[in-house]
Amino acid sequence: GAVVSQHPSRVICKSGTSVKIECRSLDFQATTMFWYRQFPKQSLMLMATSNEGSKATYEQGVEKDKFLINHASLTLSTLTVTSAHPEDSSFYICSAVISTYRGYTFGSGTRLTVV
Amino acid sequence: DQQVKQNSPSLSVQEGRISILNCDYTNSMFDYFLWYKKYPAEGPTFLISISSIKDKNEDGRFTVFLNKSAKHLSLHIVPSQPGDSAVYFCAAANSGGSNYKLTFGKGTLLTVNP
């Protein structure tokens, strides 16, 4: 089946630094990928929609200059958290669509801790 | 405004009994609904879905019921097993939309006791 590989699974960084999270589709081409953020005991909140070869579409309230998304190929989307602050600490998850909703496959997530 | 609501943050069930997880939605444009299961520090995995043209979909131990007039759906797991213990998210979508966006509920933590 379709697999989405997300790395790293866990990262700790210092305030003010930037962190890049990668999301790769391993055996299919993902034209569209989504980036979610989840706080403890909260829902998955959609941050942005990443489309290959074009600019990402950000949800209301998400700072596009802080959360840089690049979808340069059909198998790779990256999320860079720039100038990270402790309040950016969260669980970030990517997902990709193949052709149907059942093919809406999630990565394993990245636990970001900013100290 | 939360468009997909899972009002029970947690549910505890005895092994072998039925687990019923509930979900309500407010957006009448939603016509496709999914349930995902999530373990801690992992991404969600797809369980079962239902289109609004149906009122029931069954897959093994999992059955999803949809009541369109009440804007309510439920996931039944029977018999429940300890390995079913996880957070279950209800998600909804407008299949007529062009970007496959899903709206998630906050999840229900299911604990199945041996």
Side-chain angles (χ1 to χ4, degrees):
Chain A
V3 175
V4 170
S5 175
Q6 184 173 345
H7 293 280
S9 59
R10 188 181 296 268
V11 59
I12 301 173
C13 71
K14 291 184 178 180
S15 288
T17 61
S18 295
V19 173
K20 181 185 282 189
I21 302 170
E22 290 190 350
C23 187
R24 293 181 185 271
S25 56
L26 294 186
D27 49 4
F28 67 100
Q29 293 182 330
T31 307
T32 301
M33 288 190 176
F34 298 92
W35 287 94
Y36 290 85
R37 181 175 181 176
Q38 186 189 21
F39 292 104
K41 298 184 179 180
Q42 294 294 316
S43 176
L44 286 88
M45 300 300 298
L46 179 65
M47 298 174 65
T49 303
S50 167
N51 294 298
E52 186 269 336
S54 64
K55 289 184 179 179
T57 304
Y58 290 81
E59 295 299 302
Q60 193 173 8
V62 178
E63 298 175 62
K64 58 183 69 177
D65 293 331
K66 179 167 189 58
F67 298 100
L68 300 179
I69 290 172
N70 184 284
H71 195 156
S73 78
L74 285 169
T75 58
L76 175 64
S77 176
T78 60
L79 167 68
T80 302
V81 182
T82 63
S83 188
H85 289 279
E87 56 264 31
D88 298 325
S89 298
S90 190
F91 192 61
Y92 293 87
I93 306 174
C94 66
S95 68
V97 175
I98 309 172
S99 60
T100 66
Y101 288 99
R102 193 186 178 107
Y104 199 106
T105 304
F106 286 84
S108 54
T110 298
R111 169 70 62 193
L112 171 64
T113 303
V114 184
V115 297
Chain B
D1 174 38
Q2 203 174 351
Q3 297 186 66
V4 177
K5 299 177 185 178
Q6 293 176 258
N7 291 320
S8 297
S10 64
L11 173 68
S12 185
V13 170
Q14 208 61 29
E15 180 178 7
R17 307 295 283 267
I18 185 171
S19 296
I20 300 177
L21 299 136
N22 293 303
C23 178
D24 297 289
Y25 61 98
T26 58
N27 189 336
S28 58
M29 296 300 291
F30 290 148
D31 61 357
Y32 203 94
F33 305 91
L34 308 92
W35 284 93
Y36 286 85
K37 177 180 179 179
K38 184 181 180 302
Y39 293 113
E42 292 184 12
T45 55
F46 171 80
L47 266 181
I48 192 168
S49 64
I50 188 166
S51 161
S52 61
I53 62 173
K54 292 185 171 183
D55 53 18
K56 176 183 175 182
N57 189 25
E58 191 172 353
D59 184 1
R61 296 186 297 114
F62 302 92
T63 303
V64 56
F65 295 92
L66 175 62
N67 182 333
K68 289 186 291 293
S69 60
K71 292 191 175 68
H72 176 84
L73 64 155
S74 60
L75 173 68
H76 292 211
I77 306 173
V78 56
S80 302
Q81 300 173 354
D84 295 330
S85 298
V87 177
Y88 289 78
F89 287 97
C90 167
N94 171 10
S95 64
S98 60
N99 56 10
Y100 301 97
K101 270 191 194 180
L102 291 181
T103 302
F104 286 86
K106 287 188 175 182
T108 297
L109 172 63
L110 172 66
T111 303
V112 180
N113 301 302

